[in-house]
PDB file of all heavy atoms in Angstrom:
ATOM      1  N   ASN V  29      -9.578 -25.960 -28.243  1.00 90.00           N
ATOM      2  CA  ASN V  29      -9.764 -24.760 -29.064  1.00 90.00           C
ATOM      3  C   ASN V  29      -9.031 -24.900 -30.398  1.00 90.00           C
ATOM      4  O   ASN V  29      -9.566 -24.554 -31.444  1.00 90.00           O
ATOM      5  CB  ASN V  29      -9.252 -23.513 -28.328  1.00 90.00           C
ATOM      6  CG  ASN V  29     -10.157 -23.112 -27.185  1.00 90.00           C
ATOM      7  OD1 ASN V  29     -11.285 -23.567 -27.064  1.00 90.00           O
ATOM      8  ND2 ASN V  29      -9.648 -22.260 -26.330  1.00 90.00           N
ATOM      9  N   VAL V  30      -7.785 -25.384 -30.340  1.00 91.00           N
ATOM     10  CA  VAL V  30      -6.999 -25.551 -31.570  1.00 91.00           C
ATOM     11  C   VAL V  30      -7.667 -26.586 -32.472  1.00 91.00           C
ATOM     12  O   VAL V  30      -7.773 -26.392 -33.691  1.00 91.00           O
ATOM     13  CB  VAL V  30      -5.543 -25.958 -31.239  1.00 91.00           C
ATOM     14  CG1 VAL V  30      -4.773 -26.358 -32.484  1.00 91.00           C
ATOM     15  CG2 VAL V  30      -4.836 -24.809 -30.519  1.00 91.00           C
ATOM     16  N   ALA V  33     -10.644 -25.080 -34.355  1.00 83.00           N
ATOM     17  CA  ALA V  33     -10.384 -23.759 -34.956  1.00 83.00           C
ATOM     18  C   ALA V  33     -11.175 -23.557 -36.235  1.00 83.00           C
ATOM     19  O   ALA V  33     -11.529 -22.422 -36.570  1.00 83.00           O
ATOM     20  CB  ALA V  33      -8.902 -23.583 -35.223  1.00 83.00           C
ATOM     21  N   GLY V  40     -14.201 -20.114 -28.621  1.00 83.00           N
ATOM     22  CA  GLY V  40     -13.069 -20.557 -27.830  1.00 83.00           C
ATOM     23  C   GLY V  40     -13.350 -20.459 -26.345  1.00 83.00           C
ATOM     24  O   GLY V  40     -14.159 -19.657 -25.894  1.00 83.00           O
ATOM     25  N   ASP V  93     -14.696 -17.795 -23.912  1.00 49.00           N
ATOM     26  CA  ASP V  93     -13.666 -16.832 -24.270  1.00 49.00           C
ATOM     27  C   ASP V  93     -14.293 -15.583 -24.883  1.00 49.00           C
ATOM     28  O   ASP V  93     -13.740 -14.499 -24.799  1.00 49.00           O
ATOM     29  CB  ASP V  93     -12.688 -17.491 -25.252  1.00 49.00           C
ATOM     30  CG  ASP V  93     -11.387 -16.755 -25.356  1.00 49.00           C
ATOM     31  OD1 ASP V  93     -11.237 -15.727 -24.693  1.00 49.00           O
ATOM     32  OD2 ASP V  93     -10.514 -17.200 -26.100  1.00 49.00           O
ATOM     33  N   ASN V  95     -14.600 -14.830 -27.997  1.00 49.00           N
ATOM     34  CA  ASN V  95     -14.064 -14.546 -29.323  1.00 49.00           C
ATOM     35  C   ASN V  95     -14.062 -15.812 -30.146  1.00 49.00           C
ATOM     36  O   ASN V  95     -14.035 -16.909 -29.622  1.00 49.00           O
ATOM     37  CB  ASN V  95     -12.629 -14.003 -29.248  1.00 49.00           C
ATOM     38  CG  ASN V  95     -12.548 -12.715 -28.476  1.00 49.00           C
ATOM     39  OD1 ASN V  95     -13.461 -11.911 -28.510  1.00 49.00           O
ATOM     40  ND2 ASN V  95     -11.475 -12.518 -27.754  1.00 49.00           N
ATOM     41  N   SER V  96     -14.053 -15.637 -31.474  1.00 67.00           N
ATOM     42  CA  SER V  96     -13.848 -16.817 -32.308  1.00 67.00           C
ATOM     43  C   SER V  96     -12.389 -17.229 -32.154  1.00 67.00           C
ATOM     44  O   SER V  96     -11.538 -16.447 -31.796  1.00 67.00           O
ATOM     45  CB  SER V  96     -14.185 -16.498 -33.761  1.00 67.00           C
ATOM     46  OG  SER V  96     -13.343 -15.454 -34.224  1.00 67.00           O
ATOM     47  N   VAL V  97     -12.115 -18.475 -32.418  1.00 79.00           N
ATOM     48  CA  VAL V  97     -10.771 -19.010 -32.215  1.00 79.00           C
ATOM     49  C   VAL V  97      -9.802 -18.460 -33.273  1.00 79.00           C
ATOM     50  O   VAL V  97     -10.039 -18.589 -34.473  1.00 79.00           O
ATOM     51  CB  VAL V  97     -10.789 -20.545 -32.265  1.00 79.00           C
ATOM     52  CG1 VAL V  97      -9.376 -21.100 -32.158  1.00 79.00           C
ATOM     53  CG2 VAL V  97     -11.661 -21.097 -31.158  1.00 79.00           C
ATOM     54  N   VAL V  98      -8.744 -17.843 -32.825  1.00 82.00           N
ATOM     55  CA  VAL V  98      -7.667 -17.407 -33.683  1.00 82.00           C
ATOM     56  C   VAL V  98      -6.494 -18.335 -33.385  1.00 82.00           C
ATOM     57  O   VAL V  98      -5.978 -18.348 -32.258  1.00 82.00           O
ATOM     58  CB  VAL V  98      -7.295 -15.935 -33.427  1.00 82.00           C
ATOM     59  CG1 VAL V  98      -6.122 -15.525 -34.295  1.00 82.00           C
ATOM     60  CG2 VAL V  98      -8.480 -15.029 -33.650  1.00 82.00           C
ATOM     61  N   LEU V  99      -6.109 -19.128 -34.351  1.00 85.00           N
ATOM     62  CA  LEU V  99      -5.118 -20.168 -34.150  1.00 85.00           C
ATOM     63  C   LEU V  99      -3.810 -19.623 -33.585  1.00 85.00           C
ATOM     64  O   LEU V  99      -3.212 -20.222 -32.678  1.00 85.00           O
ATOM     65  CB  LEU V  99      -4.879 -20.914 -35.468  1.00 85.00           C
ATOM     66  CG  LEU V  99      -4.166 -22.244 -35.369  1.00 85.00           C
ATOM     67  CD1 LEU V  99      -4.863 -23.187 -34.427  1.00 85.00           C
ATOM     68  CD2 LEU V  99      -4.042 -22.858 -36.747  1.00 85.00           C
ATOM     69  N   GLU V 100      -3.360 -18.469 -34.079  1.00 88.00           N
ATOM     70  CA  GLU V 100      -2.103 -17.905 -33.604  1.00 88.00           C
ATOM     71  C   GLU V 100      -2.170 -17.555 -32.126  1.00 88.00           C
ATOM     72  O   GLU V 100      -1.228 -17.780 -31.361  1.00 88.00           O
ATOM     73  CB  GLU V 100      -1.715 -16.660 -34.423  1.00 88.00           C
ATOM     74  CG  GLU V 100      -1.322 -16.949 -35.847  1.00 88.00           C
ATOM     75  CD  GLU V 100      -2.549 -17.119 -36.774  1.00 88.00           C
ATOM     76  OE1 GLU V 100      -3.699 -16.839 -36.364  1.00 88.00           O
ATOM     77  OE2 GLU V 100      -2.335 -17.553 -37.919  1.00 88.00           O
ATOM     78  N   GLU V 101      -3.313 -16.969 -31.688  1.00 88.00           N
ATOM     79  CA  GLU V 101      -3.475 -16.615 -30.290  1.00 88.00           C
ATOM     80  C   GLU V 101      -3.503 -17.872 -29.412  1.00 88.00           C
ATOM     81  O   GLU V 101      -2.911 -17.891 -28.336  1.00 88.00           O
ATOM     82  CB  GLU V 101      -4.770 -15.837 -30.081  1.00 88.00           C
ATOM     83  CG  GLU V 101      -4.729 -14.433 -30.624  1.00 88.00           C
ATOM     84  CD  GLU V 101      -6.065 -13.710 -30.455  1.00 88.00           C
ATOM     85  OE1 GLU V 101      -7.006 -14.286 -29.836  1.00 88.00           O
ATOM     86  OE2 GLU V 101      -6.170 -12.580 -30.930  1.00 88.00           O
ATOM     87  N   GLN V 102      -4.171 -18.892 -29.884  1.00 90.00           N
ATOM     88  CA  GLN V 102      -4.245 -20.138 -29.108  1.00 90.00           C
ATOM     89  C   GLN V 102      -2.874 -20.772 -28.973  1.00 90.00           C
ATOM     90  O   GLN V 102      -2.528 -21.294 -27.905  1.00 90.00           O
ATOM     91  CB  GLN V 102      -5.234 -21.120 -29.761  1.00 90.00           C
ATOM     92  CG  GLN V 102      -6.670 -20.651 -29.765  1.00 90.00           C
ATOM     93  CD  GLN V 102      -7.211 -20.382 -28.376  1.00 90.00           C
ATOM     94  OE1 GLN V 102      -7.062 -21.197 -27.470  1.00 90.00           O
ATOM     95  NE2 GLN V 102      -7.820 -19.222 -28.189  1.00 90.00           N
ATOM     96  N   MET V 103      -2.096 -20.750 -30.014  1.00 93.00           N
ATOM     97  CA  MET V 103      -0.753 -21.322 -29.953  1.00 93.00           C
ATOM     98  C   MET V 103       0.146 -20.519 -29.009  1.00 93.00           C
ATOM     99  O   MET V 103       0.987 -21.080 -28.307  1.00 93.00           O
ATOM    100  CB  MET V 103      -0.122 -21.429 -31.335  1.00 93.00           C
ATOM    101  CG  MET V 103      -0.862 -22.398 -32.261  1.00 93.00           C
ATOM    102  SD  MET V 103      -1.160 -24.033 -31.544  1.00 93.00           S
ATOM    103  CE  MET V 103       0.481 -24.672 -31.457  1.00 93.00           C
ATOM    104  N   MET V 104      -0.043 -19.205 -28.955  1.00 93.00           N
ATOM    105  CA  MET V 104       0.696 -18.370 -28.011  1.00 93.00           C
ATOM    106  C   MET V 104       0.297 -18.724 -26.571  1.00 93.00           C
ATOM    107  O   MET V 104       1.148 -18.818 -25.693  1.00 93.00           O
ATOM    108  CB  MET V 104       0.423 -16.881 -28.273  1.00 93.00           C
ATOM    109  CG  MET V 104       0.963 -16.375 -29.592  1.00 93.00           C
ATOM    110  SD  MET V 104       2.698 -15.976 -29.506  1.00 93.00           S
ATOM    111  CE  MET V 104       2.675 -14.559 -28.471  1.00 93.00           C
ATOM    112  N   LYS V 105      -1.005 -18.949 -26.360  1.00 93.00           N
ATOM    113  CA  LYS V 105      -1.481 -19.330 -25.025  1.00 93.00           C
ATOM    114  C   LYS V 105      -0.926 -20.701 -24.641  1.00 93.00           C
ATOM    115  O   LYS V 105      -0.569 -20.919 -23.473  1.00 93.00           O
ATOM    116  CB  LYS V 105      -3.011 -19.360 -24.980  1.00 93.00           C
ATOM    117  CG  LYS V 105      -3.653 -18.011 -24.987  1.00 93.00           C
ATOM    118  CD  LYS V 105      -5.165 -18.141 -24.923  1.00 93.00           C
ATOM    119  CE  LYS V 105      -5.858 -16.802 -24.965  1.00 93.00           C
ATOM    120  NZ  LYS V 105      -7.326 -16.933 -24.897  1.00 93.00           N
TER     121      LYS V 105
END
Side-chain angles (χ1 to χ4, degrees):
N29 288 346
V30 171
D93 198 359
N95 299 326
S96 61
V97 176
V98 177
L99 196 55
E100 291 82 10
E101 288 177 4
Q102 295 301 312
M103 295 309 292
M104 293 278 291
K105 287 181 182 180

